[in-house]
Amino acid sequence: MGANNNATRHVSYRPMRWEDLDTVAACFDRVWPQREGIAGTPLATLIARYLTLHYVEPITWSNVAETDDGVFAGVTLVRAVGAPALFAQAREEFERTRELIVADPRGAAVVDMLEQGFFPRERILEEDGDVGATTQAELELFMVNPDVRGMGVGGALWRQLLAALRGHGVRAFFLHTDSSCDYGFYDHKGLTRVAERIAADHPEDADMAEGMNADDQFIYRADLADTALPDAVNPSETVEVRGA
């Protein structure tokens, strides 16, 4: 849908519902498609669902953007330390989806890459950035539907995220991102990069699992008391987030 049509649409915001899962996963598949040979197949849909569930399972707060004609526009998902998870059924659904994926050798290779390579590297980066001891929340997923670019959805989700975290007493939070994302958004917003792993500096990562040595990985930290991290977004701001 073109920018002119988007200008006449309106967006509302609400907590995520369990029945939103497949819609979020479908957008995830568009924003971060699988490699050639898997992209566009039912297996790719399952992998996107697996990854979405990976982020959904621990969350304690959510915000879904939706247009007035019912189109999913974006989402932020947060895990706050000590708060109850929103979806108790997510773990069982994650395991069921994983079983379907690994039944296909191509899917099993992707799961192995994630579970033996990408996710462990994320945990190593968390240790390097000391975020476990210095933050009270993690932004698990920040994603905007490409079809709503120009409507300010990314900025509104970001504003509401900061306000909600402050309201819940969170003093600082962190997030993972990588070079497949628009990570410059976080530099623009005044966050601090506290850990990074540049793929070109670590050729040994390719031995961890097939397809590993592809993206640079980063951790950003936000101090909510920092005056460089304002609540509001300038109305003239045109920065758009593809995903984080």
Side-chain angles (χ1 to χ4, degrees):
M1 183 170 293
N4 289 338
N5 289 331
N6 279 343
T8 65
R9 303 164 88 192
H10 297 88
V11 180
S12 59
Y13 299 85
R14 60 168 174 81
M16 180 178 171
R17 299 187 287 256
W18 180 248
E19 54 265 33
D20 294 321
L21 176 65
D22 287 335
T23 300
V24 176
C27 187
F28 194 103
D29 190 34
R30 288 187 61 201
V31 173
W32 294 287
Q34 291 297 307
R35 64 175 182 263
E36 186 177 354
I38 297 178
T41 68
L43 178 59
T45 301
L46 284 171
I47 294 170
R49 199 168 198 269
Y50 162 96
L51 286 164
T52 301
L53 284 160
H54 169 77
Y55 296 117
V56 164
E57 183 187 356
I59 64 168
T60 62
W61 182 85
S62 64
N63 195 18
V64 167
E66 190 173 60
T67 66
D68 51 5
D69 51 348
V71 174
F72 170 80
V75 66
T76 45
L77 303 177
V78 170
R79 173 189 62 83
V81 175
L86 295 181
F87 301 113
Q89 66 269 55
R91 169 46 57 172
E92 182 178 353
E93 190 60 25
F94 175 87
E95 295 294 348
R96 189 186 74 82
T97 302
R98 185 184 186 281
E99 287 179 9
L100 293 172
I101 294 170
V102 300
D104 184 317
R106 298 171 301 164
V110 172
V111 168
D112 185 64
M113 181 272 289
L114 291 167
E115 296 182 356
Q116 302 304 317
F118 194 82
F119 296 155
R121 285 199 324 193
E122 287 192 322
R123 291 192 288 271
I124 291 169
L125 279 178
E126 289 182 19
E127 294 176 2
D128 291 346
D130 196 29
V131 290
T134 64
T135 67
Q136 299 79 46
E138 177 181 3
L139 175 56
E140 295 280 349
L141 182 64
F142 181 14
M143 179 175 68
V144 174
N145 184 342
D147 291 341
V148 302
R149 286 202 177 101
M151 295 181 65
V153 172
L157 284 169
W158 183 254
R159 260 195 321 274
Q160 293 174 34
L161 167 73
L162 299 187
L165 290 174
R166 285 185 170 111
H168 284 88
V170 171
R171 300 183 302 279
F173 70 95
F174 75 97
L175 60 93
H176 287 271
T177 187
D178 60 53
S179 52
S180 73
C181 306
D182 294 335
Y183 61 90
F185 177 86
Y186 302 117
D187 295 306
H188 178 77
K189 290 299 183 186
L191 277 68
T192 302
R193 188 185 300 180
V194 295
E196 64 181 17
R197 190 172 183 87
I198 306 302
D201 295 339
H202 295 278
E204 73 278 7
D205 286 356
D207 297 329
M208 297 174 71
E210 182 183 354
M212 266 306 301
N213 197 37
D215 297 319
D216 302 329
Q217 290 177 264
F218 313 111
I219 290 184
Y220 281 84
R221 182 183 186 279
D223 183 345
L224 292 175
D226 189 344
T227 56
L229 203 69
D231 283 326
V233 174
N234 189 314
S236 65
E237 192 171 80
T238 57
V239 173
E240 288 291 338
V241 177
R242 181 169 67 88

